[in-house]
Amino acid sequence: MTGRMIPPSLVLLAALSPFATAQEVGSNAYVDMYFGDWHASAPRVTHGSLEERDILTRGDPFKPAKKGAVLRYIDSYSHATLAPHASTNSTRLEGKQEIFCFLSGQGTATAGGDTADIGPNTWILMPASLAFTIKNTGDQPLAMYLITEPTPKGFRPNPKMLVRDENTVPITSSNGRWAHIVKTLYVTEDGLGTLQSVLTVVLDPLTIGQPHEGYHDVEEVWTAMEGTSLALVGPFLRRQGPGVAYLHPPDNLAPHTNVNYSPDEQVKFLYFAWYNPHEPRK
């Protein structure tokens, strides 16, 4: 041994070698159906003044009819912006809830008589049946990811919006799936209706998460927030930069994971998942 660093390419080849003879999941084009990028989507206006661009949409994950149409349990997943000094209309969600992950800009959210300041790394679980508005108080666009989940029959939503400052959320674990550094933002007990987990996951430089299959009953989405990495889906690799998300194919065949090939920069992901049928909070 000379003590020299092993080239990242060799580390990656070693990590992938157990899957070299695994059953392929269709073709390159087929795997691309599970990826979405809001930069490639047409804008649409919601909440009166939010400009949303789809990342992933409802569809059939076993046989997607179009790129990104792979969600079974979540209504929609998008990137949204609110123009400087603009405000949304007062909105009351019926039969659904929204999880906001704010990326840049400054503003306020008001719901049920409460007002919270929002900015980068602010998260809000906005419950069903509660009127709310979001205002951009700054001179730059207020940017966010927006997850919309349906609320099951008999579900009891939170009486107030649930605001989390990710900067103050402790690290939940630092060695899950080999190398995942996790912060847990919301789980079922916090008032999620359909989803069971909303997290951020960080990978240190030159690390890889443990590859694992996408099971039939799991809806698991990974979105690059910071840095560029490689997404491994079956035997295929895709470069994944900020704004690109994928749902792992739920076929029990295609191992998936994320690879940080940077020698000196962390990468960060937004992760959310539905794992199995579960009783709603009543």
Side-chain angles (χ1 to χ4, degrees):
M1 293 289 289
T2 64
R4 293 181 300 173
M5 179 179 289
I6 299 173
S9 58
L10 294 183
V11 175
L12 180 57
L13 285 172
L16 298 184
S17 60
F19 306 106
T21 60
Q23 181 173 344
E24 288 194 1
V25 185
S27 63
N28 272 288
Y30 180 78
V31 167
D32 286 336
M33 301 292 274
Y34 292 89
F35 282 77
D37 182 354
W38 68 265
H39 298 90
S41 297
R44 54 190 173 87
V45 176
T46 67
H47 303 71
S49 52
L50 273 188
E51 184 179 277
E52 283 193 52
R53 294 175 183 265
D54 289 330
I55 302 173
L56 299 174
T57 58
R58 278 273 188 168
D60 181 356
F62 298 101
K63 192 176 181 180
K66 64 178 182 178
K67 183 176 172 64
V70 292
L71 298 176
R72 280 181 291 171
Y73 303 110
I74 305 307
D75 285 342
S76 63
Y77 180 40
S78 64
H79 178 278
T81 55
L82 184 61
H85 306 290
S87 179
T88 66
N89 292 348
S90 179
T91 302
R92 187 185 302 272
L93 303 170
E94 299 295 345
K96 59 185 177 181
Q97 301 187 143
E98 292 180 331
I99 299 103
F100 294 87
C101 168
F102 293 94
L103 303 170
S104 62
Q106 301 292 328
T108 59
T110 300
D114 297 325
T115 297
D117 292 328
I118 52 179
N121 296 320
T122 304
W123 294 69
I124 297 179
L125 170 56
M126 196 64 72
S129 304
L130 187 68
F132 69 94
T133 58
I134 295 173
K135 183 176 182 180
N136 185 342
T137 59
D139 296 327
Q140 301 298 321
L142 183 63
M144 67 206 79
Y145 288 121
L146 177 54
I147 308 165
T148 305
E149 63 162 6
T151 52
K153 184 178 180 180
F155 171 72
R156 174 175 58 85
N158 290 338
K160 297 184 176 183
M161 63 179 174
L162 182 53
V163 182
R164 294 267 162 86
D165 179 356
E166 187 186 337
N167 297 316
T168 65
V169 172
I171 292 174
T172 309
S173 64
S174 59
N175 59 0
R177 297 290 183 189
W178 293 347
H180 291 173
I181 303 170
V182 175
K183 286 190 174 185
T184 301
L185 277 306
Y186 301 112
V187 294
T188 302
E189 291 76 13
D190 293 316
L192 294 175
T194 297
L195 287 170
Q196 292 167 281
S197 186
V198 180
L199 319 168
T200 59
V201 179
V202 168
L203 284 174
D204 278 334
L206 297 177
T207 61
I208 178 174
Q210 180 183 19
H212 55 289
E213 292 83 5
Y215 300 106
H216 287 310
D217 289 333
V218 174
E219 183 158 288
E220 180 178 297
V221 172
W222 291 85
T223 307
M225 297 182 71
E226 298 173 9
T228 299
S229 59
L230 292 175
L232 165 67
V233 182
F236 302 110
L237 290 169
R238 292 293 181 271
R239 195 176 302 276
Q240 188 176 9
V244 177
Y246 73 92
L247 176 135
H248 68 233
D251 54 14
N252 288 10
L253 294 174
H256 75 281
T257 193
N258 303 288
V259 183
N260 183 3
Y261 59 86
S262 170
D264 49 25
E265 298 288 340
Q266 291 182 325
V267 293
K268 180 181 177 182
F269 302 89
L270 187 163
Y271 166 98
F272 61 86
W274 181 97
Y275 298 117
N276 47 49
H278 58 284
E279 281 292 320
R281 188 179 68 177
K282 298 179 179 179

